[in-house]
């Protein structure tokens, strides 16, 4: 029987929508959000399992699933021997220590002998040990941010993205101990058939990510500024330059990375480019 890759995704939570979207952009169709616990893709040899995120590293280790998407925070906290195949760039957040707003903070040493509430006892324990701080870690599974106001702990160690939850609970973030994003994890030592499917999937994921990080750019340039403008637009190999109907002008087509986008656009305009069009790219195949 042909191999079927089993992929574990979070059933419903902060990873779910972006995970589904990623597979959709990779052209892999499956039923999602129907309340079912699994779904076989109609156009890729994969079966999707919908689970709680905390359970995914364990299922991947045990071979119930071959691949999974989880936050790095969960992958590291559970400590399962799974392989990180690729970083996915969504669900970015940080694990931070926070204390009541009115309390002064000098440094991590302030936590000496204190009670800290967290859902991440391993990550926090490792951090405190590295700082040489001895504190009491109270593991709780949710609503960590209320622990100081109910007298359970003097500090918390919790996931933060905008910081608004901390703020509304009268807390301030004082130290970041871990930065996280969604990652694709795999069971080590997959058989050759499954590894070939993982490689196929990874090729698609990288093409989708490259497209997101780049824009297609079309502009008109006076011929005497072409050298300067094309030097700013290396593209995938080199830019396409074709003459315009207007004498002395050319059209330049290229690809521009999102990270240096505005700096480059400003430099290109200053060099004399006109009629600049910036167009999203759907897929980018190297
Ligand atoms: P489950 O019911 O599956 O156990 P959960 O409540 O434990 O879900 P979520 O809150 O859905 O988990 O978060 C899943 C992951 O998303 C976290 O482990 C973290 O990596 C990331 N995450 C958490 N909070 C945020 C946030 N505010 N912004 C971005 N990413 C986040
Ligand atoms: Mg969870």
């Amino acid at each position: 029987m042909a191999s079927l890759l089993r992929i574990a995704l979070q059933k419903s939570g902060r990873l779910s929508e972006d995970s589904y979207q990623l597979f959709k952009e990779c052209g892999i169709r499956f039923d999602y959000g129907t309340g079912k616990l699994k779904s076989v893709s109609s156009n890729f040899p994969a079966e999707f399992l919908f689970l709680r995120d905390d359970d995914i590293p364990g299922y991947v280790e045990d071979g119930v699933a071959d691949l999974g998407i989880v936050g790095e925070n969960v992958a590291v906290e559970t400590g399962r021997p799974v392989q990180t195949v690729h970083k996915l760039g969504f669900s970015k957040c940080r694990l931070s220590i926070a204390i009541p707003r009115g309390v002064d903070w000098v440094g991590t040493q302030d936590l000496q002998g204190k009670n800290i509430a967290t859902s991440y006892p391993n990550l926090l324990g490792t951090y405190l040990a590295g700082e040489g701080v001895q504190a009491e870690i109270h593991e709780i599974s949710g609503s960590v941010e209320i622990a100081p106001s109910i007298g359970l702990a003097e500090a918390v160690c919790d996931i933060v993205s905008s910081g608004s939850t901390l703020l509304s609970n009268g807390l301030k973030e004082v130290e970041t101990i871990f930065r996280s994003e969604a990652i694709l994890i795999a069971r080590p030592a997959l058989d050759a058939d499954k590894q070939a499917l993982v490689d196929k999937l990874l090729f698609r994921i990288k093409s989708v990510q490259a497209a997101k990080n780049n824009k297609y750019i079309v502009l008109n340039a006076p011929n005497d500024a072409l050298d300067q403008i094309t030097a700013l637009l290396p593209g995938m190999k080199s830019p396409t330059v074709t003459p315009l109907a207007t004498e002395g002008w050319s059209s330049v087509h290229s690809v521009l990375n999102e990270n240096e986008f505005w700096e480059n656009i400003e430099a290109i305009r200053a060099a004399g480019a006109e009629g600049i069009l910036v167009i999203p790219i759907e897929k980018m195949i190297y």
Side-chain angles (χ1 to χ4, degrees):
M1 203 182 89
S3 279
L4 199 60
L5 208 54
R6 303 186 96 197
I7 307 174
L9 303 183
Q10 188 186 25
K11 186 170 175 357
S12 117
R14 293 183 191 267
L15 296 160
S16 311
E17 195 58 45
D18 286 332
S19 302
Y20 175 68
Q21 196 61 31
L22 176 69
F23 286 101
K24 195 173 160 193
E25 286 167 347
C26 289
I28 298 172
R29 285 198 293 267
F30 59 96
D31 286 336
Y32 157 80
T34 57
K36 283 195 298 183
L37 296 179
K38 54 185 191 173
S39 164
V40 177
S41 169
S42 56
N43 63 352
F44 192 87
E47 177 176 49
F48 292 85
L49 312 177
F50 307 114
L51 305 163
R52 285 205 54 192
D53 70 338
D54 317 63
D55 298 332
I56 291 175
Y59 282 126
V60 171
E61 179 192 4
D62 297 341
V64 173
D66 303 305
L67 293 180
I69 293 181
V70 285
E72 275 173 300
N73 52 321
V74 167
V76 175
E77 178 65 27
T78 54
R80 302 285 191 151
V82 294
Q83 207 186 324
T84 300
V85 179
H86 199 63
K87 295 200 177 207
L88 299 174
F90 57 81
S91 299
K92 286 193 175 168
C93 58
R94 53 193 189 272
L95 187 62
S96 291
I97 292 172
I99 61 170
R101 235 184 335 230
V103 176
D104 287 339
W105 176 259
V106 177
T108 312
Q109 293 301 326
D110 293 2
L111 296 171
Q112 189 70 36
K114 299 278 163 57
N115 293 305
I116 312 171
T118 189
S119 305
Y120 296 89
N122 295 325
L123 277 163
L124 176 59
T126 306
Y127 172 77
L128 292 176
E131 296 287 316
V133 170
Q134 285 188 333
E136 195 68 44
I137 298 175
H138 283 273
E139 183 179 355
I140 50 179
S141 58
S143 303
V144 171
E145 63 283 356
I146 65 162
S149 63
I150 59 172
L152 180 71
E154 286 112 340
V156 302
C157 175
D158 203 9
I159 293 290
V160 183
S161 62
S162 69
S164 59
T165 307
L166 291 182
L167 209 64
S168 61
N169 283 282
L171 301 174
K172 60 178 178 188
E173 186 177 359
V174 290
E175 210 77 60
T176 295
I177 72 163
F178 190 80
R179 289 188 186 277
S180 178
E181 63 184 87
I183 54 172
L184 185 68
I185 56 170
R187 184 158 55 89
L190 287 172
D191 67 38
D193 285 357
K194 291 205 169 176
Q195 189 56 52
L197 290 175
V198 172
D199 293 344
K200 196 167 160 158
L201 174 63
L202 258 184
F203 171 74
R204 294 193 191 186
I205 291 176
K206 287 177 184 169
S207 302
V208 167
Q209 285 181 331
K212 280 203 175 126
N213 293 334
N214 289 279
K215 295 277 182 279
Y216 191 73
I217 177 164
V218 181
L219 56 86
N220 296 328
N223 286 346
D224 56 14
L226 273 178
D227 285 348
Q228 204 186 339
I229 289 171
T230 54
L232 291 163
L233 289 169
M236 287 173 82
K237 198 181 273 304
S238 63
T240 308
V241 179
T242 48
L244 285 187
T246 305
E247 189 72 31
W249 283 77
S250 296
S251 167
V252 178
H253 295 220
S254 192
V255 162
L256 195 54
N257 192 281
E258 190 82 304
N259 296 330
E260 54 231 27
F261 184 78
W262 286 110
E263 286 74 16
N264 269 338
I265 289 286
E266 283 157 16
I268 289 162
R269 271 191 73 214
E274 291 179 6
I276 304 172
L277 302 180
V278 178
I279 304 157
I281 299 171
E282 194 182 302
K283 303 282 187 303
M284 196 158 153
I285 318 290
Y286 283 97

